[in-house]
Amino acid sequence: GFGKTSHVAAWADRDGRPTAWLEVEALDNDPQLLVERLIELLCSVSDFDAGRVPRPPISTAQFETMIAPAIGSAVRRCTQPFMLVLDELHRLESEVALSVVAAIAHDVPPGSTVVLIGRDSPGTSIAALRLRPGVADVGAVDLALDAAEARRVLEEIGVSIGDDDLERLLEDKEGWALG
């Protein structure tokens, strides 16, 4: 709706680094499946050493204590810069799966970027990552228009609107440009 995916796709096209893109699905709340998908993507765009990550079957508790740290450590060792995009991140509800994402984002090496796209930031482990170098969090609030921007867009298409109507429009459409 807000153009988050299109915005990041254009960025990735211009960027030049190898880019891996994961559209997160509800089934990715299974940490075993998520880890396998992430390992495959990271191997496709970098010198990620999949051998450093213990392979399931592993208990759910071990994902947070063994797998997440191991995948983070393997990411940190990558020397080839890459971009990893996780789109629709709000679909992840499992704290265990989120811990895997957090480990990757926490340990992203210099020159690489992990881009988190979602309607909101799920889980507490992800919220703190916004401050880390190499992590870009793109949400609806980042692309929403403020009053001045919305007025400029409306004027460019020949629409004149009063302040009260503009305020109601922004509130109703949450700043969404296409609204």
Side-chain angles (χ1 to χ4, degrees):
F2 282 86
K4 299 177 297 293
T5 299
S6 298
H7 176 74
V8 173
W11 172 20
D13 284 345
R14 290 186 314 269
D15 188 80
R17 291 176 288 182
T19 300
W21 197 290
L22 176 67
E23 184 172 335
V24 175
E25 301 174 17
L27 55 91
D28 290 314
N29 282 291
D30 174 346
Q32 181 173 334
L33 178 62
L34 179 63
V35 164
E36 291 302 321
R37 292 180 73 192
L38 289 169
I39 287 173
E40 182 179 335
L41 287 172
L42 288 164
C43 286
S44 74
V45 295
S46 70
D47 53 345
F48 182 84
D49 182 1
R52 292 188 163 278
V53 181
R55 289 305 224 267
I58 291 184
S59 73
T60 301
Q62 289 174 312
F63 273 92
E64 290 183 90
T65 59
M66 285 178 50
I67 303 297
I71 202 167
S73 176
V75 164
R76 188 173 48 251
R77 286 181 168 80
C78 291
T79 59
Q80 178 183 343
F82 64 89
M83 182 183 282
L84 174 65
V85 179
L86 303 177
D87 197 358
E88 303 290 345
L89 191 63
H90 58 273
R91 292 180 179 160
L92 278 189
E93 298 170 353
S94 161
E95 283 297 325
V96 176
L98 288 167
S99 73
V100 172
V101 172
I104 291 171
H106 185 269
D107 288 317
V108 64
S112 296
T113 303
V114 174
V115 183
L116 309 174
I117 306 172
R119 292 187 187 126
D120 50 31
S121 291
T124 55
S125 59
I126 300 299
L129 294 174
R130 289 184 174 125
L131 304 174
R132 303 226 21 107
V135 177
D137 182 21
V138 180
V141 70
D142 301 306
L143 300 177
L145 300 178
D146 63 21
E149 293 164 332
R151 183 172 302 286
R152 192 167 43 251
V153 168
L154 290 169
E155 287 172 354
E156 287 180 15
I157 61 171
V159 175
S160 179
I161 190 170
D163 290 342
D164 290 342
D165 289 335
L166 179 62
E167 187 176 319
R168 278 194 297 279
L169 177 67
L170 287 171
E171 187 175 309
D172 182 50
K173 302 303 177 194
E174 298 175 337
W176 182 36
L178 296 178

